[in-house]
Amino acid sequence: MALVKCPECGKEVSSNAATCPNCGTPIKGANVIRVQFPKTDTILGCYVYDSKGNTLAKCNVGEIASFESAQPINIKVKMKGLFGSAEITAKPGGRYAVSTKWFGGISIKEVDSLTGGESTNNWG
């Protein structure tokens, strides 16, 4: 979690907050969901889809795919060049890390930050 300034009143607010607790102004980016893909030499592209198969975000290996959702959303991640996919219910403001598994599979988990440990809370 990072602290950002409210665009209306200037008070410091959590980047995970939907609105400023002081004045009620919506905080830009509070609903952004971020998915970190691993860096690998064999992958051509990384994709995030919703449950209907619509593309929510795409990026290159080692990059972060991001999109906004005001509600929890079921997502599926795929990496071109691997046969597997992984699914999770992503929460607004959540951070997720994708990793590769044996024989071309992938997995996804919620993390506290995009550089570190697995989440120990429910992110809202």
Side-chain angles (χ1 to χ4, degrees), residues 36-40 46 59-64 79:
Q36 171 75 56
F37 284 89
K39 188 168 186 155
T40 177
C46 305
C59 66
N60 294 318
V61 295
E63 294 181 345
I64 298 170
M79 298 172 69

Side-chain angles (χ1 to χ4, degrees), residues 35-40 42-43 45-49 61 75-88 97-109:
V35 180
Q36 171 75 56
F37 284 89
K39 188 168 186 155
T40 177
T42 60
I43 308 304
C46 305
Y47 303 88
V48 180
Y49 300 100
V61 295
I75 61 169
K76 179 186 282 189
V77 293
K78 290 188 174 191
M79 298 172 69
K80 204 169 191 179
L82 297 177
F83 65 84
S85 66
E87 297 182 37
I88 197 167
V98 177
S99 58
T100 57
K101 299 182 347 183
W102 288 92
F103 304 113
I106 63 174
S107 64
I108 185 171
K109 67 180 177 182

Side-chain angles (χ1 to χ4, degrees), residues 3-75:
L3 292 177
V4 297
K5 284 192 177 188
C6 172
E8 186 66 28
C9 70
K11 300 266 184 176
E12 287 191 336
V13 181
S14 165
S15 60
N16 292 334
T19 61
C20 174
N22 185 55
C23 68
T25 300
I27 303 301
K28 184 178 180 180
N31 293 330
V32 174
I33 297 170
R34 294 169 181 84
V35 180
Q36 171 75 56
F37 284 89
K39 188 168 186 155
T40 177
D41 296 333
T42 60
I43 308 304
L44 301 173
C46 305
Y47 303 88
V48 180
Y49 300 100
D50 67 12
S51 60
K52 295 179 182 177
N54 299 313
T55 304
L56 298 173
K58 60 183 176 178
C59 66
N60 294 318
V61 295
E63 294 181 345
I64 298 170
S66 61
F67 58 95
E68 285 198 52
S69 180
Q71 302 173 39
I73 182 171
N74 293 324
I75 61 169

